[in-house]
Amino acid sequence: MPYIPLKESLPGITGLLDYRQDTALPIRQLTQILLRGASTLTEGERELIATVVSYGNECAFCSAAHTAAANILLGDTVISEQVKLHPDSAPVSDKMKALLTIARAVQKSGKLVTPAMVESAKRQGATDMELHDTVLIAALFSLYNRYVDGLASVTPAEPAFYERLGHILKEKGYMPSPDRYAGL
């Protein structure tokens, strides 16, 4: 049960964003830029970063939501599970493996990112902007994970809920829109 009054129809971060809409807008804007804005990383790759960090932080809501979004964007339900459970053998590029290593380090502490990790990512073709965005996505999702879990937001158990939410994230992105969650 949430620690503050939230709409039952809006679980996870959705209820928290609805609760405090003045803080929700900049959160949504930054997320939209990082996960849907111009980038040399695909939207699916950026969702994988959010997935790995949320999984590492044991945030069930965010992990399930962004796994669903990544699955839809990548057109594959195996990749997300592989990067969460077996990152070294996951079917992603070596550059993405290196960036996910950095994301997992940031999820624990930014100070765990080493020059060797950065050099490895650059050797695999990562740009400075990709490094920047990986660190910022990882830091941002660590904040979101703590936001959702710190206020004990509702976490649905049904996989179908997250499939529906994944489609909303793919089709509508992260900015507010009328009847945004009508399909949940």
Side-chain angles (χ1 to χ4, degrees):
M1 180 151 183
Y3 297 138
I4 60 175
L6 301 171
K7 290 182 184 174
E8 289 183 28
S9 62
L10 298 174
I13 199 167
T14 60
L16 297 169
L17 294 174
D18 181 71
Y19 178 82
R20 184 86 195 258
Q21 294 182 18
D22 59 333
T23 60
L25 184 58
I27 287 171
R28 288 181 179 278
Q29 289 170 327
L30 183 55
T31 308
Q32 181 70 21
I33 290 167
L34 289 171
L35 272 64
R36 295 295 181 270
S39 177
T40 51
L41 296 174
T42 70
E43 291 178 0
E45 289 171 329
R46 290 176 276 167
E47 287 287 352
L48 282 178
I49 296 167
T51 297
V52 165
V53 169
S54 297
Y55 180 78
N57 283 326
E58 300 177 5
C59 181
F61 179 86
C62 295
S63 181
H66 295 284
T67 295
N71 290 347
I72 292 163
L73 288 162
L74 296 169
D76 189 316
T77 60
V78 174
I79 296 172
S80 293
E81 292 307 314
Q82 288 273 324
V83 298
K84 289 188 291 190
L85 302 174
H86 308 289
D88 294 336
S89 62
V92 295
S93 70
D94 288 339
K95 175 178 85 171
M96 197 63 207
K97 286 177 186 174
L99 291 173
L100 290 170
T101 296
I102 291 170
R104 282 190 295 276
V106 170
Q107 170 248 314
K108 293 174 188 153
S109 169
K111 293 181 182 220
L112 294 178
V113 177
T114 65
M117 288 176 188
V118 172
E119 184 54 39
S120 175
K122 286 184 174 187
R123 267 195 320 275
Q124 299 305 327
T127 67
D128 289 343
M129 184 70 78
E130 290 168 342
L131 287 163
H132 173 276
D133 290 357
T134 295
V135 169
L136 187 52
I137 292 167
L140 189 62
F141 273 85
S142 289
L143 177 146
Y144 294 161
N145 302 154
R146 287 158 178 81
Y147 185 35
V148 167
D149 290 341
L151 287 167
S153 188
V154 173
T155 299
E158 320 80 54
F161 169 84
Y162 297 101
E163 180 75 15
R164 292 188 302 272
L165 181 56
H167 281 286
I168 290 169
L169 294 175
K170 177 186 181 269
E171 294 161 16
K172 296 184 178 184
Y174 291 91
M175 294 303 292
S177 59
D179 297 324
R180 176 177 181 78
Y181 299 113
L184 288 180

